[in-house]
Amino acid sequence: MSIDNVLTGHGLGIAVTGMTVVFAGLVLVSLYIRVLPRVLEEAGGLARRRRDRQATDSTVVPAALSSADPALLAAIGYVLQAEREHALALDDQRITLREDDEEQRVWTAIGKMRTLATRM
Amino acid sequence: MSIDNVLTGHGLGIAVTGMTVVFAGLVLVSLYIRVLPRVLEEAGGLARRRRDRQATDSTVVPAALSSADPALLAAIGYVLQAEREHALALDDQRITLREDDEEQRVWTAIGKMRTLATRM
Amino acid sequence: MSIDNVLTGHGLGIAVTGMTVVFAGLVLVSLYIRVLPRVLEEAGGLARRRRDRQATDSTVVPAALSSADPALLAAIGYVLQAEREHALALDDQRITLREDDEEQRVWTAIGKMRTLATRM
Amino acid sequence: MDILLEFLGQSGFANVTLGNLVMIAIGITFISLAIVKHYEPLLLVPIGFGAIVGNLAVAPGMSLSVYDEGSVLSYLYYGVSQGIYPPLIFLGIGAMTDFSTMLSNPKLVLLGAAAQVGIFLTLIGALYIGFTPAEAGAIGIIGGADGPTAIFLSAKLAPHLLGAIAISAYSYMALVPVIQPPIMKLLTTREERLIRMKAPRKVTTREKIMFPVGTLIICALIAPGSLVLIGMLMFGNLLKESGVTERLAQTARTGMIDIVTILLGFSVGASTQAQTFLTPQSIGIFALGAISFAIATAGGILAAKAMNLFLTEKINPLVGAAGVSAVPDSARVDQHVGQEEDPNNFLLMHAMAPNVAGVIGSAIAAGILWSVLVG
Amino acid sequence: MDILLEFLGQSGFANVTLGNLVMIAIGITFISLAIVKHYEPLLLVPIGFGAIVGNLAVAPGMSLSVYDEGSVLSYLYYGVSQGIYPPLIFLGIGAMTDFSTMLSNPKLVLLGAAAQVGIFLTLIGALYIGFTPAEAGAIGIIGGADGPTAIFLSAKLAPHLLGAIAISAYSYMALVPVIQPPIMKLLTTREERLIRMKAPRKVTTREKIMFPVGTLIICALIAPGSLVLIGMLMFGNLLKESGVTERLAQTARTGMIDIVTILLGFSVGASTQAQTFLTPQSIGIFALGAISFAIATAGGILAAKAMNLFLTEKINPLVGAAGVSAVPDSARVDQHVGQEEDPNNFLLMHAMAPNVAGVIGSAIAAGILWSVLVG
Amino acid sequence: MDILLEFLGQSGFANVTLGNLVMIAIGITFISLAIVKHYEPLLLVPIGFGAIVGNLAVAPGMSLSVYDEGSVLSYLYYGVSQGIYPPLIFLGIGAMTDFSTMLSNPKLVLLGAAAQVGIFLTLIGALYIGFTPAEAGAIGIIGGADGPTAIFLSAKLAPHLLGAIAISAYSYMALVPVIQPPIMKLLTTREERLIRMKAPRKVTTREKIMFPVGTLIICALIAPGSLVLIGMLMFGNLLKESGVTERLAQTARTGMIDIVTILLGFSVGASTQAQTFLTPQSIGIFALGAISFAIATAGGILAAKAMNLFLTEKINPLVGAAGVSAVPDSARVDQHVGQEEDPNNFLLMHAMAPNVAGVIGSAIAAGILWSVLVG
Ligand code: NA
Ligand code: NA
Ligand code: NA
């Protein structure tokens, strides 16, 4: 047990380097996710029209409720949770056929294709 | 880039051999599946009696409907599809105990065996 | 084919050793499971109070029914089986959050945590 | 044209032997039995199809078969040849097995020990015929009526016989409903077959949790060679019974065991190439395997009759036959034979006790044979 | 301070090249196409993300990339480089494919053979450009429009080109809805595209069970190199159709194929490091790949037209284009193009027959190329 | 008789040491804690049972333990010793983690960085005690409170300490509800613990999709050694969020992670043989591990307090403690301690942000240590 071990092992240098790089990394991630919504907002004109149908909001509890009655919160949370799980269960069954149009109903009619749909 | 490369590499020979063998293979497969139902028909006397319960038809849309109203087709297809998926979901739960008789009901009564049923 | 092969191969010694050890092992297992309930009974004072809610009985058909009408047995077995499978299906969804208190309802309310709950 | 001729020289038509065709026919037979008779389909279908594939893997100069280095089949077979798949199968079996009946019937455990006599008498028979001690041990284990255990031990003691031993073990396991009833009827009286047994007592969750841990320690101390098989079996069972690891148990008993079963069955089947499989040795192995099953069945029944000499609450000796393992077919056969005499006699839950005990017994026997006969 | 500087010298900022950035951009493009256009998302997302990871794996002195011995990525890539993943994918595909339409339309099988002409003409083209025969064979297989088959053959014949061939194959498979329609319209008349085909007959369970066994035997006899791919495809299908192994089929078509797809896609993507990927060869491979798809499409269509010369019940030549495989996109494209002329013409079920026949055809072609060109 | 005696000489009774019995007792304790206290059962049950198995694997001359070449356990352990399992676990975690709270709280990410100070101060402490730099780095990572990351780095830097480091990391992660609260109360005032935080904003699907790609690129550029761990974490998350690969995400977060968890936990447990585990070094590692967790907790809390000096919307410093990772126990502890002061204060969703950021932070730290300290 000796401080020499620390010095010989470059302990301080490694620690300083390490914390510097960890902070640098997470600061960059932090900046990235801070900037992301604005960039998407601005760049999003085209994409938004294309994908409006898909962009669903996350299930974060809205601000107005954050200080509300906990029982209410619990109830809302439960419903969100349940719906999400339901959706997940359905997702599980979903396949990768394009779901966007008329066409789809026809595929379904054939009743043959489903199993092939996830093929490589 | 030169035709010599093709000749040196036996390109033509390989291509001819390849297409010949691919065609030979798929012609044989084609003949096999063409002959199969007739062979089964003829050889099937014994087997048919034994397995009548099992031999269910595939869900191909019958000929008479092929030029029918597409909405009707779609509806039939949907039902077939749904039933098939339902069957599949059940299958998933099925185990490999013989399902053929009285005996079975007793096993079920015990309520112990199920998990062991698929044992090696 | 000769009895010499058996002698040279120590066949009898292996067989005697083998059966001795197999019996020794299963006799010990037999004693262990015979002694187990009594040991648990005696040592169980503290543990029992702590875990009373959990200790559910196995689904073995109770003695009184063992010579009862087989149809009744079958019916009971079926219900037990069905309930058990239902429980299993639910289990499948269960996660490893502690399920023991008030606290839990709050987690549920958040509706965010579930997916992380089984994290390493 | 040269290329076409050369190619045809490599094709199956030029290289498949009569032996291969025989094996392909056997593979088709396995598949048919599984589909028509519902004999162990989860194993006979993969093994049968694997046998077809393995006996078509005969092109000279191409790395195809399980025995060719670097072939895909050789990678899949690695889990067999190194004994990795059997413990993983046992993990899944542990996660699907309810040991309650055994826990409530400790004395029936002994029947699972008695049935292992088939293993050791067969070993002597195999030595007599001229097999080496290691080979004889691997052949004897067929009498354990437990596929994964047989594969595990063969991989250690006699890898060159693995295919024949595995096929023999699974064949007779599939044929348990054919093999056992005559022996059961021969060795028991009608009065014995009519014995009704007392319903088992309730088993607590705590017992079920402590069972796998204690059993592992006992078995591994007494027969270290059984550590991996029994360790995995009990690990799976603990995952099932702990109440807090259900999602792991669920995966172990569904996706995981299914994947391993597919790979194990297919690659064991693919290892049965006629060139290495159709030998006089294999015929000897099949003959010994049949004897082994018969002796094991008799051992269990006679042990039950012997125990009855000392017990006031008699055991129905039919349940002794379940000690061979072959879970759960063997226990179902007991039930069936018992009901031929008395349709209201439900032996199944009693037969499950020696049945699962037989699995443990065979694994211990395999551990002993491994440590005595290896190297 | 020295440590910080030294560390920075190892960091990505110092080592990522322009080529890596290009590949990262390609990876992002793949992911975007999958999400926005829904092109083959189960493959493009893993491949795209893998390409990003692989092109960030450039720190000198650290074992990171698929090409560095002992790295995690190298272990995951092992299943690609040894050709293990593709047969396992085929197992799952077999377990999810219903061959009914093909069984009821035997003559349409030939269209799946005709489309393989793309493979062999591309091989000639690749030889012409200057690739070695083995390389040319691996490149030709892009025209098979079958990812696992392309990876399997490349791993055997030209492992150094595997990344480019796989990416090319999957790219064009994703682009089938863009590539095929113009060719289809060019080679067919409006009258031909209006042809309605007779509905297929019923197929019995027994036919479905006997199909995989017979097909395996035929294909493996005629082209032993296709044994593993077709063996696994038919094994999966037998598990599905046998009626007694549904739990194995279910696992093969869900958990098992998903796991393999994740590992295969990700590690193929990660193998596309700019240092080995951005070469003139890759450009040649992409160009040849496009030609290959076009020829294959034309081959299928022209074969249908040729067959119509002899048939009384005409085939709609559009379904010939499905012979390239790219299941099921290619069959859907046929349906779509057909409905542009006649919205009540349902070609899809007819197109599935050459579509799945094309999978078998490509696997046979791969088997031939492997045995002719290896070593 | 000789055979019986010889066999007994190999049996566990003759070879199990007192140390093995101690380890078996520890294994049983782990299982008990998991079942009774519900501490991290998905890991403590496999590790505990593995420890029992590993300490019974002591028969001389038999290939049983994870350290014996060719043993089944050694094959299962390969995924640990080569660092393959941890990234696959991360894949599953990514596929089950919702990063929404973090995306809506970018500044809380910094708390996940601050908590990594525990890693580096522990490294200095380990050097001081006399461990080599590589060993010290592996020990420090215990403070990352992340099992897979700890195993991954130990496998690279100090494989001989892997068992002790992994057990230490998982033990303290299980004990987070015991370790953290006193430190949290010590370092915060009642007023601070009462701070309510603004509800997070909504996060769009597009943000969630772009997050994993951008984060991977940033982290891998700045610390290439974190590529595999963060790459897999983000890959899993992209599969989850892309909306087109849900079936892959579903498998990654269920069957796949379960299989890997079973194998990882069991084989890590089995590696803790008394002969290599019960050493003075292990005691040092456990002591340093406890210090590491305490420092990390303090680091996160103090960083939150420091940030509050500059922020108008104050952070509740309790959420800083979640920066250690130990997801999600640590975040739940924050919630719990916060509610002791104000039952209507819901900190959990806020605590999840530093919690998941801490996972990324630890992976970056592991990447740095790997590249700085490796051979
Ligand atoms: Na047995
Ligand atoms: Na094709
Ligand atoms: Na951390």
Side-chain angles (χ1 to χ4, degrees):
Chain A
M1 276 202 219
S2 141
I3 197 70
D4 284 353
N5 295 331
V6 179
L7 298 175
T8 324
H10 302 291
L12 296 175
I14 293 171
V16 170
T17 301
M19 283 309 289
T20 308
V21 177
V22 168
F23 261 102
L26 285 179
V27 165
L28 286 175
V29 169
S30 177
L31 290 175
Y32 172 63
I33 62 183
R34 176 180 294 270
V35 161
L36 194 54
R38 278 172 242 166
V39 171
L40 286 171
E41 192 85 349
E42 285 171 33
L46 181 74
R48 203 180 313 133
R49 281 191 292 281
R50 196 189 287 150
R51 306 185 54 219
D52 256 349
R53 292 160 300 169
Q54 289 188 318
T56 58
D57 298 325
S58 79
T59 55
V60 171
V61 179
L65 280 171
S66 69
S67 56
D69 180 55
L72 178 62
L73 259 185
I76 293 169
Y78 176 79
V79 171
L80 288 173
Q81 176 94 334
E83 294 238 329
R84 220 167 115 191
E85 270 158 41
H86 184 62
L88 213 89
L90 289 179
D91 263 357
D92 211 18
Q93 300 277 24
R94 188 147 54 95
I95 45 167
T96 52
L97 286 170
R98 287 215 244 167
E99 298 116 289
D100 35 25
D101 50 23
E102 290 286 303
E103 189 185 4
Q104 196 55 25
R105 262 181 285 135
V106 178
W107 305 135
T108 308
I110 309 298
K112 280 266 107 152
M113 292 282 310
R114 183 171 236 276
T115 52
L116 270 161
T118 51
R119 206 186 150 287
M120 296 195 74
Chain B
M1 277 202 217
S2 140
I3 198 71
D4 283 352
N5 295 331
V6 179
L7 297 175
T8 324
H10 303 290
L12 296 175
I14 293 172
V16 170
T17 301
M19 282 311 288
T20 308
V21 178
V22 168
F23 261 101
L26 286 178
V27 165
L28 285 175
V29 170
S30 177
L31 290 176
Y32 171 63
I33 62 183
R34 173 180 295 269
V35 162
L36 194 54
R38 277 172 241 165
V39 172
L40 286 171
E41 194 84 351
E42 284 171 33
L46 181 73
R48 204 180 312 130
R49 281 191 292 282
R50 196 188 288 150
R51 305 185 53 220
D52 255 349
R53 292 158 300 167
Q54 290 189 318
T56 58
D57 298 325
S58 79
T59 55
V60 171
V61 178
L65 281 169
S66 69
S67 56
D69 179 54
L72 178 63
L73 257 187
I76 292 169
Y78 176 80
V79 171
L80 289 173
Q81 176 95 334
E83 293 238 331
R84 218 166 117 193
E85 271 157 42
H86 184 62
L88 212 87
L90 289 179
D91 263 357
D92 211 15
Q93 300 276 24
R94 189 148 52 95
I95 46 167
T96 53
L97 285 170
R98 287 215 243 168
E99 296 117 290
D100 36 23
D101 51 21
E102 290 285 303
E103 190 185 2
Q104 197 55 24
R105 264 182 284 135
V106 178
W107 306 134
T108 309
I110 309 296
K112 283 259 115 167
M113 293 281 311
R114 184 171 234 276
T115 53
L116 270 161
T118 51
R119 207 186 151 283
M120 292 194 74
Chain C
M1 277 203 217
S2 139
I3 197 72
D4 283 353
N5 295 331
V6 179
L7 297 176
T8 324
H10 303 291
L12 297 176
I14 293 171
V16 170
T17 300
M19 283 309 287
T20 307
V21 178
V22 167
F23 261 102
L26 285 179
V27 165
L28 285 176
V29 169
S30 176
L31 290 175
Y32 172 63
I33 62 183
R34 174 180 294 270
V35 161
L36 194 54
R38 279 171 241 165
V39 171
L40 287 171
E41 192 85 351
E42 284 171 33
L46 181 74
R48 203 180 314 131
R49 280 191 292 280
R50 197 189 284 150
R51 307 185 52 220
D52 256 347
R53 292 158 299 168
Q54 290 188 316
T56 59
D57 298 326
S58 79
T59 56
V60 170
V61 179
L65 281 169
S66 68
S67 56
D69 180 54
L72 178 62
L73 258 186
I76 292 170
Y78 176 80
V79 171
L80 288 174
Q81 176 96 334
E83 293 239 330
R84 220 166 115 192
E85 270 158 42
H86 184 61
L88 213 89
L90 288 179
D91 263 357
D92 212 17
Q93 300 276 24
R94 189 148 53 96
I95 47 168
T96 54
L97 284 170
R98 288 214 241 167
E99 297 118 287
D100 35 23
D101 51 22
E102 291 285 302
E103 191 185 4
Q104 197 53 26
R105 263 182 284 135
V106 178
W107 306 134
T108 310
I110 308 298
K112 282 260 109 157
M113 292 282 310
R114 184 171 235 278
T115 53
L116 271 161
T118 50
R119 207 187 151 284
M120 294 194 74
Chain D
M1 207 57 200
D2 287 356
I3 292 172
L4 182 55
L5 288 176
E6 194 190 305
F7 177 81
L8 290 179
Q10 263 193 331
S11 81
F13 296 113
N15 295 290
V16 165
T17 64
L18 183 65
N20 293 129
L21 294 180
V22 170
M23 291 307 300
I24 290 170
I26 290 175
I28 292 173
T29 307
F30 271 43
I31 295 169
S32 306
L33 284 175
I35 294 175
V36 177
K37 296 278 188 189
H38 288 210
Y39 287 160
E40 295 266 353
L42 299 184
L43 281 152
L44 293 197
V45 171
I47 290 177
F49 202 86
I52 301 172
V53 169
N55 281 283
L56 292 165
V58 291
M62 300 190 79
S63 182
L64 289 176
S65 86
V66 299
Y67 304 111
D68 296 336
E69 204 181 331
S71 74
V72 171
L73 294 184
S74 76
Y75 288 114
L76 303 184
Y77 190 64
Y78 198 75
V80 173
S81 64
Q82 299 300 306
I84 301 168
Y85 293 151
L88 297 180
I89 297 274
F90 263 44
L91 177 77
I93 292 171
M96 57 173 78
T97 301
D98 185 339
F99 283 95
S100 294
T101 45
M102 187 176 121
L103 288 172
S104 62
N105 275 304
K107 66 176 177 289
L108 296 184
V109 169
L110 300 183
L111 301 177
Q116 310 314 319
V117 71
I119 294 176
F120 296 102
L121 290 187
T122 306
L123 176 146
I124 291 176
L127 283 173
Y128 182 79
I129 289 180
F131 284 99
T132 69
E135 289 172 344
I139 293 167
I141 204 69
I142 297 172
D146 215 321
T149 301
I151 291 170
F152 184 81
L153 188 65
S154 306
K156 302 291 180 193
L157 294 183
H160 56 293
L161 303 180
L162 195 153
I165 290 170
I167 298 293
S168 175
Y170 283 120
S171 300
Y172 293 124
M173 284 166 66
L175 293 174
V176 150
V178 178
I179 296 173
Q180 288 200 319
I183 300 169
M184 292 160 79
K185 287 175 190 161
L186 186 70
L187 294 178
T188 56
T189 64
R190 183 174 140 78
E191 285 65 40
E192 286 172 326
R193 294 198 292 275
L194 282 170
I195 293 174
R196 289 201 179 188
M197 295 169 72
K198 230 179 74 182
R201 68 170 177 82
K202 296 181 186 184
V203 176
T204 65
T205 304
R206 274 173 294 155
E207 282 177 76
K208 288 192 195 171
I209 291 173
M210 303 209 44
F211 164 71
V213 175
T215 300
L216 165 67
I217 293 175
I218 290 168
C219 296
L221 283 178
I222 211 161
S226 69
L227 176 72
V228 181
L229 287 175
I230 293 188
M232 282 298 189
L233 184 71
M234 294 298 141
F235 180 35
N237 193 243
L238 180 63
L239 291 179
K240 171 177 184 288
E241 302 295 356
S242 79
V244 292
T245 49
E246 180 56 30
R247 67 172 286 170
L248 300 183
Q250 176 67 10
T251 293
R253 81 167 77 92
T254 55
M256 192 169 178
I257 195 173
D258 288 343
I259 292 173
V260 178
T261 300
I262 290 171
L263 299 178
L264 178 141
F266 182 77
S267 55
V268 162
S271 75
T272 63
Q273 286 198 297
Q275 287 75 357
T276 62
F277 189 85
L278 288 182
T279 63
Q281 283 195 319
S282 293
I283 294 166
I285 290 169
F286 270 79
L288 288 163
I291 295 168
S292 193
F293 262 65
I295 295 174
T297 303
I301 295 168
L302 295 175
K305 294 178 74 157
M307 284 170 70
N308 276 346
L309 299 179
F310 305 94
L311 293 172
T312 46
E313 289 181 4
K314 302 299 185 195
I315 299 168
N316 186 319
L318 292 178
V319 305
V324 298
S325 310
V327 184
D329 282 340
S330 179
R332 284 159 55 201
V333 165
D334 296 353
Q335 163 88 348
H336 204 78
V337 174
Q339 288 193 318
E340 285 179 15
E341 304 294 346
D342 172 2
N344 290 336
N345 194 2
F346 296 98
L347 291 175
L348 183 64
M349 64 181 128
H350 304 289
M352 285 310 296
N355 212 198
V356 294
V359 176
I360 298 172
S362 306
I364 295 177
I368 298 162
L369 291 172
W370 182 20
S371 68
V372 170
L373 294 172
V374 82
Chain E
M1 207 59 202
D2 287 357
I3 293 171
L4 182 56
L5 289 176
E6 194 189 304
F7 178 80
L8 290 178
Q10 263 194 331
S11 80
F13 295 113
N15 296 291
V16 166
T17 64
L18 184 63
N20 292 130
L21 294 179
V22 170
M23 290 308 300
I24 290 170
I26 291 175
I28 292 173
T29 307
F30 271 43
I31 295 169
S32 305
L33 284 175
I35 294 175
V36 178
K37 296 278 188 190
H38 289 209
Y39 286 160
E40 294 267 354
L42 298 184
L43 282 152
L44 293 198
V45 170
I47 290 176
F49 202 88
I52 301 174
V53 168
N55 281 281
L56 291 166
V58 291
M62 302 189 79
S63 182
L64 290 175
S65 87
V66 300
Y67 304 112
D68 296 336
E69 204 183 329
S71 74
V72 172
L73 293 184
S74 75
Y75 288 114
L76 303 185
Y77 190 65
Y78 198 75
V80 173
S81 64
Q82 300 300 306
I84 301 168
Y85 293 151
L88 297 180
I89 297 273
F90 263 44
L91 176 76
I93 292 172
M96 58 173 78
T97 300
D98 185 340
F99 283 96
S100 292
T101 45
M102 188 175 120
L103 289 172
S104 62
N105 274 305
K107 67 177 175 289
L108 296 184
V109 169
L110 300 183
L111 302 177
Q116 310 314 321
V117 71
I119 293 176
F120 296 101
L121 290 187
T122 305
L123 177 146
I124 292 176
L127 284 173
Y128 182 80
I129 289 181
F131 285 99
T132 69
E135 289 171 343
I139 294 167
I141 204 69
I142 298 172
D146 216 321
T149 301
I151 291 171
F152 183 82
L153 189 65
S154 306
K156 303 289 180 194
L157 295 183
H160 56 293
L161 301 180
L162 194 152
I165 289 169
I167 300 291
S168 176
Y170 282 120
S171 301
Y172 293 124
M173 283 166 66
L175 293 174
V176 151
V178 178
I179 297 173
Q180 288 200 318
I183 300 169
M184 292 159 79
K185 287 174 190 163
L186 186 70
L187 293 180
T188 55
T189 64
R190 183 174 139 79
E191 287 64 42
E192 285 172 326
R193 293 199 292 275
L194 281 170
I195 292 173
R196 289 203 179 185
M197 295 169 71
K198 228 180 75 183
R201 67 169 179 82
K202 295 182 187 186
V203 177
T204 65
T205 304
R206 271 173 296 155
E207 282 177 77
K208 289 192 195 174
I209 291 173
M210 302 208 47
F211 164 71
V213 175
T215 302
L216 165 67
I217 293 174
I218 292 168
C219 296
L221 283 178
I222 212 162
S226 68
L227 175 72
V228 181
L229 287 174
I230 292 187
M232 282 298 190
L233 184 71
M234 293 299 142
F235 179 35
N237 195 243
L238 180 64
L239 291 179
K240 172 176 185 288
E241 302 295 357
S242 79
V244 291
T245 50
E246 180 54 30
R247 67 171 286 169
L248 300 183
Q250 176 66 9
T251 293
R253 81 167 78 92
T254 55
M256 192 170 179
I257 195 175
D258 289 342
I259 291 173
V260 179
T261 300
I262 289 171
L263 299 178
L264 178 140
F266 182 77
S267 55
V268 162
S271 75
T272 63
Q273 286 199 296
Q275 287 74 358
T276 62
F277 190 85
L278 289 182
T279 62
Q281 284 195 318
S282 292
I283 295 166
I285 289 169
F286 270 79
L288 287 163
I291 296 167
S292 193
F293 262 65
I295 296 173
T297 303
I301 295 168
L302 294 175
K305 294 177 76 158
M307 284 169 71
N308 275 347
L309 299 178
F310 304 95
L311 294 171
T312 46
E313 289 181 6
K314 302 298 185 195
I315 299 167
N316 186 320
L318 291 178
V319 305
V324 298
S325 311
V327 184
D329 282 339
S330 179
R332 285 159 54 201
V333 165
D334 296 353
Q335 163 87 345
H336 204 77
V337 174
Q339 288 193 318
E340 285 179 15
E341 305 293 346
D342 172 2
N344 291 336
N345 194 2
F346 296 97
L347 293 175
L348 184 63
M349 66 180 127
H350 303 289
M352 285 309 297
N355 211 197
V356 293
V359 175
I360 298 171
S362 306
I364 295 176
I368 299 161
L369 291 172
W370 182 22
S371 70
V372 170
L373 294 172
V374 82
Chain F
M1 207 58 201
D2 287 357
I3 292 171
L4 181 55
L5 288 176
E6 193 189 307
F7 177 79
L8 290 178
Q10 264 193 331
S11 80
F13 296 114
N15 296 290
V16 165
T17 64
L18 184 64
N20 292 129
L21 294 179
V22 170
M23 290 308 299
I24 290 170
I26 291 175
I28 292 174
T29 307
F30 271 42
I31 295 170
S32 306
L33 284 175
I35 294 175
V36 178
K37 296 278 186 188
H38 288 210
Y39 287 160
E40 295 267 353
L42 298 184
L43 281 152
L44 293 198
V45 170
I47 290 177
F49 201 87
I52 300 173
V53 169
N55 281 282
L56 291 165
V58 290
M62 301 189 79
S63 183
L64 290 175
S65 86
V66 298
Y67 303 111
D68 296 337
E69 204 182 329
S71 74
V72 172
L73 293 184
S74 76
Y75 288 114
L76 304 184
Y77 190 65
Y78 198 74
V80 173
S81 64
Q82 300 300 306
I84 301 167
Y85 293 150
L88 298 180
I89 297 274
F90 263 44
L91 177 76
I93 292 172
M96 58 172 78
T97 301
D98 185 340
F99 283 95
S100 293
T101 46
M102 189 176 119
L103 289 171
S104 62
N105 275 303
K107 66 176 177 291
L108 296 183
V109 168
L110 301 183
L111 302 177
Q116 310 313 320
V117 71
I119 293 175
F120 297 102
L121 290 187
T122 305
L123 176 147
I124 292 177
L127 284 173
Y128 182 79
I129 288 181
F131 284 100
T132 69
E135 290 171 343
I139 293 167
I141 204 71
I142 297 171
D146 216 322
T149 302
I151 290 171
F152 184 80
L153 189 65
S154 306
K156 302 290 181 193
L157 294 183
H160 56 294
L161 302 181
L162 195 154
I165 290 170
I167 299 293
S168 176
Y170 282 121
S171 301
Y172 292 124
M173 284 166 66
L175 294 173
V176 150
V178 178
I179 297 173
Q180 289 200 317
I183 300 169
M184 293 160 80
K185 287 174 188 163
L186 186 71
L187 294 178
T188 54
T189 64
R190 184 174 140 78
E191 285 66 40
E192 286 172 328
R193 294 199 291 276
L194 282 171
I195 293 173
R196 289 199 179 188
M197 297 170 70
K198 231 179 75 182
R201 68 170 178 81
K202 296 181 186 186
V203 177
T204 65
T205 303
R206 273 172 294 153
E207 282 176 75
K208 288 192 196 173
I209 291 173
M210 303 208 46
F211 164 72
V213 175
T215 301
L216 166 66
I217 293 175
I218 291 168
C219 295
L221 284 178
I222 211 162
S226 69
L227 176 72
V228 181
L229 287 175
I230 293 186
M232 282 298 190
L233 184 71
M234 294 299 141
F235 179 35
N237 193 242
L238 180 64
L239 291 179
K240 172 178 185 287
E241 301 295 356
S242 80
V244 291
T245 49
E246 180 55 30
R247 68 172 285 169
L248 300 184
Q250 176 67 10
T251 293
R253 82 166 77 93
T254 55
M256 191 170 179
I257 195 174
D258 289 342
I259 292 173
V260 179
T261 299
I262 289 170
L263 299 178
L264 177 140
F266 182 76
S267 55
V268 162
S271 75
T272 63
Q273 287 198 296
Q275 287 75 358
T276 62
F277 189 84
L278 289 182
T279 62
Q281 285 195 318
S282 293
I283 295 167
I285 289 169
F286 270 79
L288 288 163
I291 296 168
S292 193
F293 262 65
I295 296 174
T297 304
I301 295 169
L302 295 175
K305 295 178 74 158
M307 285 170 70
N308 275 348
L309 299 177
F310 304 96
L311 294 172
T312 47
E313 289 182 2
K314 303 298 184 193
I315 300 168
N316 186 319
L318 292 178
V319 305
V324 298
S325 311
V327 184
D329 283 339
S330 179
R332 284 159 54 201
V333 165
D334 297 354
Q335 163 87 349
H336 204 76
V337 174
Q339 288 193 319
E340 285 179 16
E341 305 293 346
D342 173 3
N344 290 336
N345 194 2
F346 296 98
L347 291 175
L348 184 63
M349 66 182 126
H350 303 290
M352 286 309 297
N355 212 197
V356 294
V359 176
I360 298 172
S362 306
I364 295 177
I368 299 162
L369 291 172
W370 182 22
S371 68
V372 170
L373 293 173
V374 81

